[in-house]
mmCIF file of all heavy atoms in Angstrom:
data_model
loop_
_atom_site.group_PDB
_atom_site.id
_atom_site.type_symbol
_atom_site.label_atom_id
_atom_site.label_comp_id
_atom_site.label_asym_id
_atom_site.label_seq_id
_atom_site.Cartn_x
_atom_site.Cartn_y
_atom_site.Cartn_z
ATOM 1 N N LYS A 971 -65.049 -59.285 -118.418
ATOM 2 C CA LYS A 971 -64.019 -60.262 -118.437
ATOM 3 C C LYS A 971 -63.762 -60.937 -119.839
ATOM 4 O O LYS A 971 -62.962 -61.791 -120.006
ATOM 5 C CB LYS A 971 -64.259 -61.389 -117.507
ATOM 6 C CG LYS A 971 -64.377 -60.950 -116.010
ATOM 7 C CD LYS A 971 -63.051 -60.920 -115.348
ATOM 8 C CE LYS A 971 -63.162 -60.705 -113.818
ATOM 9 N NZ LYS A 971 -61.880 -60.813 -113.154
ATOM 10 N N ALA A 972 -64.572 -60.463 -120.806
ATOM 11 C CA ALA A 972 -64.563 -61.136 -122.132
ATOM 12 C C ALA A 972 -63.144 -61.170 -122.744
ATOM 13 O O ALA A 972 -62.695 -62.272 -123.222
ATOM 14 C CB ALA A 972 -65.492 -60.427 -123.106
ATOM 15 N N GLU A 973 -62.376 -60.082 -122.751
ATOM 16 C CA GLU A 973 -61.083 -60.098 -123.325
ATOM 17 C C GLU A 973 -60.118 -60.961 -122.563
ATOM 18 O O GLU A 973 -59.299 -61.677 -123.171
ATOM 19 C CB GLU A 973 -60.554 -58.675 -123.403
ATOM 20 C CG GLU A 973 -61.303 -57.756 -124.388
ATOM 21 C CD GLU A 973 -60.660 -56.389 -124.558
ATOM 22 O OE1 GLU A 973 -59.511 -56.238 -124.056
ATOM 23 O OE2 GLU A 973 -61.309 -55.532 -125.174
ATOM 24 N N GLU A 974 -60.231 -61.026 -121.197
ATOM 25 C CA GLU A 974 -59.357 -61.790 -120.406
ATOM 26 C C GLU A 974 -59.495 -63.313 -120.762
ATOM 27 O O GLU A 974 -58.568 -64.042 -120.819
ATOM 28 C CB GLU A 974 -59.652 -61.565 -118.957
ATOM 29 C CG GLU A 974 -58.836 -62.449 -117.989
ATOM 30 C CD GLU A 974 -59.220 -62.172 -116.537
ATOM 31 O OE1 GLU A 974 -59.783 -61.099 -116.254
ATOM 32 O OE2 GLU A 974 -58.896 -63.049 -115.700
ATOM 33 N N TYR A 975 -60.711 -63.743 -121.111
ATOM 34 C CA TYR A 975 -61.028 -65.168 -121.373
ATOM 35 C C TYR A 975 -61.067 -65.467 -122.843
ATOM 36 O O TYR A 975 -61.389 -66.588 -123.177
ATOM 37 C CB TYR A 975 -62.254 -65.582 -120.644
ATOM 38 C CG TYR A 975 -62.120 -65.775 -119.169
ATOM 39 C CD1 TYR A 975 -62.338 -64.654 -118.278
ATOM 40 C CD2 TYR A 975 -61.720 -66.895 -118.551
ATOM 41 C CE1 TYR A 975 -62.245 -64.749 -116.944
ATOM 42 C CE2 TYR A 975 -61.547 -67.079 -117.177
ATOM 43 C CZ TYR A 975 -61.833 -65.990 -116.365
ATOM 44 O OH TYR A 975 -61.688 -66.095 -114.977
ATOM 45 N N GLY A 976 -60.888 -64.460 -123.731
ATOM 46 C CA GLY A 976 -60.914 -64.687 -125.124
ATOM 47 C C GLY A 976 -62.346 -64.979 -125.628
ATOM 48 O O GLY A 976 -62.550 -65.698 -126.598
ATOM 49 N N LEU A 977 -63.326 -64.298 -125.012
ATOM 50 C CA LEU A 977 -64.697 -64.441 -125.421
ATOM 51 C C LEU A 977 -65.127 -63.411 -126.452
ATOM 52 O O LEU A 977 -64.899 -62.244 -126.227
ATOM 53 C CB LEU A 977 -65.635 -64.353 -124.216
ATOM 54 C CG LEU A 977 -65.360 -65.285 -123.027
ATOM 55 C CD1 LEU A 977 -66.378 -65.078 -121.916
ATOM 56 C CD2 LEU A 977 -65.273 -66.771 -123.440
ATOM 57 N N MET A 978 -65.699 -63.902 -127.586
ATOM 58 C CA MET A 978 -66.109 -62.934 -128.580
ATOM 59 C C MET A 978 -67.327 -62.168 -128.110
ATOM 60 O O MET A 978 -67.376 -60.957 -128.296
ATOM 61 C CB MET A 978 -66.420 -63.659 -129.941
ATOM 62 C CG MET A 978 -66.976 -62.766 -130.982
ATOM 63 S SD MET A 978 -67.358 -63.605 -132.557
ATOM 64 C CE MET A 978 -65.701 -63.883 -133.161
ATOM 65 N N ARG A 979 -68.300 -62.857 -127.607
ATOM 66 C CA ARG A 979 -69.512 -62.206 -127.199
ATOM 67 C C ARG A 979 -69.439 -61.646 -125.747
ATOM 68 O O ARG A 979 -68.912 -62.373 -124.866
ATOM 69 C CB ARG A 979 -70.671 -63.250 -127.263
ATOM 70 C CG ARG A 979 -72.067 -62.683 -126.980
ATOM 71 C CD ARG A 979 -73.122 -63.690 -127.440
ATOM 72 N NE ARG A 979 -74.404 -63.481 -126.802
ATOM 73 C CZ ARG A 979 -75.488 -64.178 -126.996
ATOM 74 N NH1 ARG A 979 -75.377 -65.211 -127.810
ATOM 75 N NH2 ARG A 979 -76.610 -63.843 -126.373
ATOM 76 N N HIS A 980 -69.830 -60.423 -125.547
ATOM 77 C CA HIS A 980 -69.714 -59.788 -124.348
ATOM 78 C C HIS A 980 -70.992 -59.781 -123.423
ATOM 79 O O HIS A 980 -71.168 -58.881 -122.611
ATOM 80 C CB HIS A 980 -69.287 -58.350 -124.595
ATOM 81 C CG HIS A 980 -67.882 -58.138 -125.006
ATOM 82 N ND1 HIS A 980 -67.088 -57.001 -124.806
ATOM 83 C CD2 HIS A 980 -67.091 -58.997 -125.780
ATOM 84 C CE1 HIS A 980 -65.912 -57.217 -125.354
ATOM 85 N NE2 HIS A 980 -65.902 -58.370 -126.005
ATOM 86 N N ASP A 981 -71.718 -60.789 -123.571
ATOM 87 C CA ASP A 981 -72.904 -61.029 -122.693
ATOM 88 C C ASP A 981 -73.163 -62.563 -122.690
ATOM 89 O O ASP A 981 -72.499 -63.269 -123.383
ATOM 90 C CB ASP A 981 -74.139 -60.268 -123.220
ATOM 91 C CG ASP A 981 -74.611 -60.657 -124.614
ATOM 92 O OD1 ASP A 981 -74.900 -61.862 -124.754
ATOM 93 O OD2 ASP A 981 -74.569 -59.840 -125.470
ATOM 94 N N GLY A 982 -74.063 -62.950 -121.919
ATOM 95 C CA GLY A 982 -74.330 -64.389 -121.823
ATOM 96 C C GLY A 982 -75.650 -64.687 -121.161
ATOM 97 O O GLY A 982 -76.130 -63.969 -120.298
ATOM 98 N N LEU A 983 -76.236 -65.854 -121.542
ATOM 99 C CA LEU A 983 -77.483 -66.296 -120.959
ATOM 100 C C LEU A 983 -77.342 -67.747 -120.521
ATOM 101 O O LEU A 983 -76.820 -68.611 -121.242
ATOM 102 C CB LEU A 983 -78.636 -66.186 -122.001
ATOM 103 C CG LEU A 983 -78.907 -64.806 -122.555
ATOM 104 C CD1 LEU A 983 -79.761 -64.889 -123.770
ATOM 105 C CD2 LEU A 983 -79.559 -63.922 -121.478
ATOM 106 N N ALA A 984 -77.801 -68.055 -119.329
ATOM 107 C CA ALA A 984 -77.782 -69.354 -118.779
ATOM 108 C C ALA A 984 -79.208 -69.788 -118.449
ATOM 109 O O ALA A 984 -79.843 -69.150 -117.595
ATOM 110 C CB ALA A 984 -76.905 -69.418 -117.495
ATOM 111 N N PHE A 985 -79.726 -70.836 -119.072
ATOM 112 C CA PHE A 985 -81.017 -71.287 -118.835
ATOM 113 C C PHE A 985 -81.043 -72.600 -118.036
ATOM 114 O O PHE A 985 -80.878 -73.690 -118.573
ATOM 115 C CB PHE A 985 -81.781 -71.542 -120.198
ATOM 116 C CG PHE A 985 -81.809 -70.345 -121.051
ATOM 117 C CD1 PHE A 985 -81.076 -70.245 -122.190
ATOM 118 C CD2 PHE A 985 -82.674 -69.196 -120.699
ATOM 119 C CE1 PHE A 985 -81.120 -69.050 -122.965
ATOM 120 C CE2 PHE A 985 -82.725 -68.101 -121.490
ATOM 121 C CZ PHE A 985 -81.940 -68.029 -122.608
ATOM 122 N N PHE A 986 -81.093 -72.452 -116.705
ATOM 123 C CA PHE A 986 -81.120 -73.575 -115.790
ATOM 124 C C PHE A 986 -82.440 -74.288 -115.908
ATOM 125 O O PHE A 986 -83.500 -73.661 -115.873
ATOM 126 C CB PHE A 986 -80.867 -73.174 -114.394
ATOM 127 C CG PHE A 986 -79.423 -72.899 -114.096
ATOM 128 C CD1 PHE A 986 -78.831 -71.721 -114.437
ATOM 129 C CD2 PHE A 986 -78.656 -73.826 -113.301
ATOM 130 C CE1 PHE A 986 -77.441 -71.479 -114.157
ATOM 131 C CE2 PHE A 986 -77.332 -73.572 -113.046
ATOM 132 C CZ PHE A 986 -76.698 -72.365 -113.462
ATOM 133 N N PHE A 987 -82.420 -75.608 -115.995
ATOM 134 C CA PHE A 987 -83.658 -76.392 -115.878
ATOM 135 C C PHE A 987 -83.934 -76.719 -114.479
ATOM 136 O O PHE A 987 -83.146 -77.559 -113.886
ATOM 137 C CB PHE A 987 -83.565 -77.651 -116.791
ATOM 138 C CG PHE A 987 -84.942 -78.210 -117.208
ATOM 139 C CD1 PHE A 987 -85.328 -78.148 -118.465
ATOM 140 C CD2 PHE A 987 -85.821 -78.753 -116.233
ATOM 141 C CE1 PHE A 987 -86.568 -78.568 -118.921
ATOM 142 C CE2 PHE A 987 -87.043 -79.189 -116.613
ATOM 143 C CZ PHE A 987 -87.449 -79.176 -117.969
ATOM 144 N N PRO A 988 -84.961 -76.254 -113.847
ATOM 145 C CA PRO A 988 -85.165 -76.419 -112.398
ATOM 146 C C PRO A 988 -85.208 -77.852 -111.954
ATOM 147 O O PRO A 988 -85.827 -78.777 -112.601
ATOM 148 C CB PRO A 988 -86.535 -75.762 -112.153
ATOM 149 C CG PRO A 988 -86.651 -74.742 -113.243
ATOM 150 C CD PRO A 988 -86.009 -75.343 -114.444
#
Side-chain angles (χ1 to χ4, degrees):
K971 300 273 189 173
E973 292 188 11
E974 178 181 340
Y975 287 90
L977 306 181
M978 176 180 287
R979 185 166 161 180
H980 287 208
D981 60 61
L983 300 166
F985 302 108
F986 281 77
F987 202 111

